[in-house]
Amino acid sequence: MGCSGCRVRFNFGKVLSKVSVFFTMVLIFTYFFYCLTGFCDSAPRTLYSQQASDYDILDDPRRLSDEQRPSPRLLPDAPLHRNRTASEDAAQVEAPGQQLHLHMPDSAKENAESNGIPVSNTFGTKRFPQAIIIGVKKGGTRALLEFLRIHPDVRAVGAEPHFFDRFYDKGLEWYRNLMPRTLDGQITMEKTPSYFVTKEAPSRVCTMNCQAKLIVVVRDPVTRAVSDYTQTLSKNPGLPSFQSLALKNSSTGLIDTTWSAVRIGLYAKHLENWLQHFPLSHFLFVSGERLVSDPAGEMGRVQDFLGLKRVVSDKHFYFNQTKGFPCLKKPEGSSRPRCLGKSKGRPHPQIPSEVLQRLRDFYRPFNHRFYQMSGQDFGWD
């Protein structure tokens, strides 16, 4: 009897041991299954190594949209001023990882997942832009957009959509889907400088939103024309000389307004077209010259116009003597400052002074008319 009882207890112990091993194996299998299917990517990881590569430089900004950038609010020294309620701010503090999701499109998910960052692009809403930088080409629109994107309440498309001039037939829903996701209180923006000179653009923009805020970056039309020519020349070295394109006839000195580089500088003519659909109060005219000499001052005006807190300030800029325009200071964790790409700041070719003077004389009445219409004297004469 005694031995029989011992055998029973021994067998029972072996059964318990096997059951324990069985459940242990089930738990291990379940764990590996969940890991392999991506459900255990929940541990927070450091974000700064990813930020260093994303914020290094803007050599080719056309390749980047805001959904490919980490939010400035994740930078260690980023301003945290928000136009939000205390509960919304608390939610952001409690779930910082979720804020990253807003700035990562499907195309960037794989890179994020490889870094162990949990990804979900379901936060926020794609909205039509409430503000558009509509012009002008070679006026400083790229610089303005990149300066604005420092602001945590601005979300913008990096590439130029060209919807209201080239792709309007694709429909408004196609256009809206190009936009980054935004939270309440954030502004959706895009910039396409050719809108300002496109005859159909004002009515099309108003069809989308007649309350849209419109920003026009303008620059001395003579300097702008030379810059425009310089850009085209870099792509087409066989281009005729500037003077042969600007003048109908060298002996008469008449200006050829059919050349786009000249026509774009007729700001008053283009503004008349826009004022048929939008009141003047919907426009902000930014000086391309002051955007170089006093970027913080012009950015203050822009932020006021957009109803934003003045976050972008002097502390964000330094003047790059080599390029001849301001750059954004190096963010923490980045190897170098953020400057516009090599296509910006090209040296201009030598243009005969008499050709430049004829252009100045030609533009003078249009400039004065533009000063009256905009209520600003840009001092180009």
Side-chain angles (χ1 to χ4, degrees):
M1 289 292 291
C3 291
S4 176
C6 289
R7 284 196 297 271
V8 170
R9 286 195 298 273
F10 179 76
N11 291 336
F12 182 72
K14 289 176 66 176
V15 170
L16 285 178
S17 177
K18 290 180 179 179
V19 170
S20 176
V21 171
F22 173 77
F23 277 106
T24 301
M25 293 300 293
V26 169
L27 288 174
I28 292 173
F29 175 81
T30 304
Y31 174 79
F32 279 108
F33 174 79
Y34 271 70
C35 282
L36 290 173
T37 53
F39 285 94
C40 59
D41 264 344
S42 58
R45 308 290 179 90
T46 178
L47 303 182
Y48 301 122
S49 60
Q50 180 70 19
Q51 290 170 353
S53 62
D54 285 340
Y55 274 83
D56 272 354
I57 198 159
L58 302 169
D59 280 339
D60 191 0
R62 292 171 298 178
R63 295 171 56 191
L64 299 175
S65 73
D66 263 7
E67 294 199 328
Q68 292 172 291
R69 297 167 180 261
S71 169
R73 69 172 65 88
L74 293 175
L75 290 172
D77 60 350
L80 296 177
H81 304 296
R82 316 288 298 171
N83 297 325
R84 306 190 184 288
T85 64
S87 61
E88 288 174 319
D89 286 336
Q92 292 173 10
V93 172
E94 289 169 3
Q98 293 182 358
Q99 295 304 309
L100 181 65
H101 305 165
L102 292 171
H103 302 266
M104 303 192 70
D106 295 339
S107 61
K109 286 182 180 179
E110 291 182 5
N111 290 335
E113 288 171 347
S114 66
N115 287 330
I117 302 173
V119 173
S120 171
N121 201 30
T122 58
F123 295 92
T125 304
K126 289 179 178 284
R127 298 180 173 91
F128 290 117
Q130 299 101 313
I132 305 176
I133 301 173
I134 61 173
V136 298
K137 180 184 179 185
K138 306 308 294 180
T141 58
R142 171 56 59 182
L144 176 61
L145 183 69
E146 296 306 327
F147 295 165
L148 268 172
R149 289 166 79 178
I150 300 172
H151 202 294
D153 284 332
V154 172
R155 303 279 288 116
V157 181
E160 296 174 1
H162 283 281
F163 174 65
F164 296 107
D165 58 349
R166 298 180 188 172
F167 303 118
Y168 194 66
D169 60 332
K170 291 184 179 292
L172 284 168
E173 189 62 20
W174 176 88
Y175 179 58
R176 187 174 67 84
N177 283 329
L178 297 179
M179 300 300 123
R181 294 181 183 275
T182 56
L183 295 173
D184 290 341
Q186 289 182 314
I187 292 177
T188 302
M189 291 190 67
E190 70 117 316
K191 79 103 175 170
T192 304
S194 52
Y195 290 163
F196 189 59
V197 300
T198 300
K199 184 177 180 180
E200 300 82 10
S203 62
R204 290 173 175 178
V205 174
C206 190
T207 298
M208 177 197 71
N209 180 10
C210 284
Q211 302 304 313
K213 295 184 177 183
L214 307 169
I215 300 176
V216 188
V217 188
V218 289
R219 181 184 183 188
D220 182 333
V222 177
T223 309
R224 197 222 65 81
V226 175
S227 181
D228 197 339
Y229 172 79
T230 304
Q231 182 182 56
T232 307
L233 184 65
S234 69
K235 300 174 182 178
N236 181 13
L239 197 67
S241 67
F242 179 89
Q243 50 267 38
S244 65
L245 294 170
L247 303 178
K248 287 183 178 179
N249 186 300
S250 57
S251 58
T252 61
L254 293 176
I255 302 299
D256 189 353
T257 57
T258 63
W259 186 33
S260 64
V262 169
R263 190 173 64 253
I264 290 172
L266 302 173
Y267 303 143
K269 290 285 187 182
H270 305 306
L271 182 57
E272 286 174 355
N273 186 34
W274 281 87
L275 289 177
Q276 294 178 22
H277 301 272
F278 291 89
L280 188 63
S281 59
H282 284 215
F283 293 85
L284 177 70
F285 302 97
V286 176
S287 167
E289 289 84 6
R290 286 196 295 270
L291 201 58
V292 172
S293 63
D294 181 20
E298 283 300 281
M299 289 306 300
R301 294 180 59 242
V302 174
Q303 290 170 97
D304 291 347
F305 175 71
L306 295 175
L308 297 169
K309 187 177 180 65
R310 286 197 176 195
V311 170
V312 185
S313 62
D314 279 321
K315 69 180 181 181
H316 291 96
F317 302 100
Y318 81 97
F319 191 81
N320 186 307
Q321 296 290 345
T322 302
K323 287 182 171 289
F325 53 73
C327 296
L328 299 174
K329 289 182 179 178
K330 181 177 68 174
E332 186 174 332
S334 175
S335 61
R336 49 186 172 170
R338 292 171 59 194
C339 284
L340 298 179
K342 296 178 182 179
S343 64
K344 309 300 179 182
R346 294 189 188 95
H348 290 176
Q350 288 291 332
I351 309 294
S353 57
E354 59 270 19
V355 175
L356 296 178
Q357 187 57 51
R358 285 179 178 176
L359 269 178
R360 295 195 183 283
D361 294 340
F362 167 77
Y363 278 123
R364 187 171 293 109
F366 295 101
N367 290 345
H368 288 170
R369 174 63 178 150
F370 181 64
Y371 298 166
Q372 294 172 351
M373 295 173 70
S374 66
Q376 292 178 239
D377 186 339
F378 291 90
W380 296 325
D381 301 304

